[in-house]
Amino acid sequence: MDNSLKNKKIGLALGGGVVLGAAHIGVLRALAELGIKITHTSGTSIGALVATFFAFGKTWKEIEEIALELDWLNISRLTLSQFGLLSNEKLGKLIVDNIGDVEFSDSKIPLSMIALDISKGEKVILREGKVAEAVMASTAIPGLFTPLVKNGMYLTDGGVLENVPITPLRDDNVDVIIGVDLRAKQSYREPKNIIDILITSFDLKLSNANKLQTEHADILITPDLSEFDRRNTSQVPELIKKGYDVSLPILKKHLGY
């Protein structure tokens, strides 16, 4: 790596994208192979899940192993709540099972997540408290998953306001921000059920906001994931490879290799 970057703070912002989030693991692989030391990380939605494992010391290979064991039914269940169709309590359990019932202060590098307080329409940056709860909040797509209710807030997926979480890293005065936008290039297919409709509607709300947010990234990685289904976990190996293949040359170019 360029010697001028050795003492710099380098932040990694991982955006949302449901199953497409497996591409983030490929980015982590590229960073590891190039010896790039990430000093801060942030995540929104599925990016919050990957950022959490990374911030608590999991290697890209260990995160890959976790991802390969997941399917849609592993991380969600039907709920009778008036606020959503599904509960993502199992996602919180996934965190606890793999890294413990940890708090943000326990992480190896600073970690932050973006959520939306749906009761006020306000962005919430999560930096303290139970990590599992924060991930559940940041991944709770409105209307699909029930919000996480805490301290009078109804916390849901923060992607509506900041899908690629650049703001927390800027607040930390990070010198170089690497953003990963999974929704920059995508296509839409005929929906098969209400889940597809809700996810597609959510994605469309994010498209314009994404462009404004990612302008503040020093390095932006935008893999073309339009060939992939956002709910099909059988594509995880291909998504990881895609993230790696796209990010490796970009990181080499911008970080002095």
Side-chain angles (χ1 to χ4, degrees), residues 33-105:
E33 289 187 5
L34 295 174
I36 298 169
K37 183 180 179 181
I38 298 297
T39 62
H40 297 68
T41 189
S42 60
T44 300
S45 197
I46 194 64
L49 176 65
V50 178
T52 291
F53 287 135
F54 179 69
F56 279 84
K58 293 288 186 184
T59 66
W60 75 266
K61 192 66 178 175
E62 290 172 323
I63 302 172
E64 177 187 52
E65 291 171 0
I66 294 170
L68 289 173
E69 293 178 359
L70 287 180
D71 62 39
W72 186 257
L73 293 177
N74 282 136
I75 59 174
S76 63
R77 64 174 177 80
L78 287 173
T79 178
L80 297 177
S81 171
Q82 62 183 319
F83 297 117
L85 298 174
L86 303 171
S87 166
N88 63 359
E89 289 179 359
K90 287 187 177 181
L91 192 59
K93 186 177 185 300
L94 178 72
I95 296 289
V96 174
D97 288 347
N98 282 277
I99 60 174
D101 190 17
V102 293
E103 301 205 358
F104 279 84
S105 57

Side-chain angles (χ1 to χ4, degrees), residues 237-257:
E238 291 78 15
L239 282 161
I240 294 173
K241 184 178 186 303
K242 186 77 170 184
Y244 172 76
D245 290 342
V246 170
S247 61
L248 189 64
I250 294 173
L251 293 170
K252 283 182 175 180
K253 175 183 177 181
H254 289 279
L255 294 177
Y257 286 86

